Amino acid sequence: NRILFQPAKLFSHLPSKYYYSMKRRWLDYRASCYLKKSEANIFHGWTHESLKSIRVAKSKGMIVILERGNPHPFYSRMVLEKEYKKLNIFHIADKNPFLKNFNHYRYEFDEAMKEIEFADYIFVNSKFCKMTYTFFGVDAKKIILIPRGFDPKKYFPRKPQKSNEIGRAHV
């Protein structure tokens, strides 16, 4: 299914903490509509854009995999609050009730926590991230480490060819 129109584009003038959440919500809505008709057995979604889809997938008995490229939300909050305090930066609450619902930071501590709870498996990209999830009570069996990077023993630059060997290769 192609998404031909994203209503969130109408709000592209807003700060990114709202705009990107709006885009993700629209994607989640569209994916959840598709899942309702799907006969899939597995749903694999990205964090911050999958809660509605996860709920549909779970209602249909699908295995749910959540991709999280960052530490547990409580760990992130702990680090941010420490840095904010050190730099004398204070969080300013959203005054607009409509925008508050789309604030990325609110989403991280409300909906993203539900995504983590409902997921059957959580893909993380580092041992550090995995440690933050287990520290905050997520079952280690549910966390799958898929590191980004490469195996330098398997993937490495070729040895430079001598200039006359390169010429012969093209003849």
Side-chain angles (χ1 to χ4, degrees):
N1 276 358
R2 289 180 45 209
I3 298 176
L4 299 176
F5 173 66
Q6 285 197 17
K9 288 200 181 255
L10 299 171
F11 301 101
S12 61
H13 64 284
L14 293 173
S16 62
K17 70 179 181 178
Y18 305 114
Y19 173 63
Y20 289 108
S21 292
M22 290 176 175
K23 283 178 68 169
R24 290 180 183 121
R25 287 272 177 91
W26 178 247
L27 176 64
D28 188 22
Y29 167 74
R30 294 291 299 181
S32 71
C33 291
Y34 179 80
L35 285 174
K36 287 175 185 174
K37 299 178 235 169
S38 174
E39 294 183 26
N41 297 315
I42 299 173
F43 171 73
H44 180 171
W46 277 86
T47 190
H48 300 113
E49 57 191 44
S50 299
L51 185 58
K52 190 180 234 12
S53 300
I54 287 171
R55 286 184 168 138
V56 171
K58 292 301 271 185
S59 75
K60 296 184 77 175
M62 294 180 190
I63 294 170
V64 171
I65 299 168
L66 179 66
E67 185 100 15
R68 290 255 329 161
N70 43 359
H72 190 282
F74 289 162
Y75 180 84
S76 298
R77 176 184 270 172
M78 184 177 68
V79 169
L80 285 173
E81 286 178 355
K82 182 180 175 184
E83 290 300 310
Y84 288 162
K85 188 174 183 178
K86 187 168 48 173
L87 297 170
N88 203 26
I89 298 172
F90 298 98
H91 175 73
I92 299 171
D94 294 304
K95 294 179 182 173
N96 181 319
F98 173 75
L99 290 179
K100 180 180 181 179
N101 190 41
F102 292 100
N103 186 322
H104 169 78
Y105 303 107
R106 186 207 57 79
Y107 196 91
E108 174 74 351
F109 301 112
D110 293 339
E111 283 88 343
M113 290 299 297
K114 291 176 185 144
E115 290 173 342
I116 291 167
E117 177 187 340
F118 298 152
D120 296 301
Y121 300 99
I122 302 168
F123 287 179
V124 297
N125 57 18
S126 70
K127 290 177 184 176
F128 169 76
C129 283
K130 182 174 183 173
M131 182 269 312
T132 68
Y133 286 90
T134 57
F135 180 81
F136 286 103
V138 177
D139 186 349
K141 294 178 204 160
K142 177 174 175 165
I143 305 166
I144 309 297
L145 176 61
I146 302 178
R148 294 186 179 157
F150 69 101
D151 179 352
K153 293 175 185 159
K154 187 173 181 179
Y155 301 101
F156 49 87
R158 290 182 184 164
K159 292 181 181 176
Q161 295 179 344
K162 295 178 184 172
S163 60
N164 60 354
E165 290 178 8
I166 293 173
R168 275 190 249 135
H170 294 297
V171 175

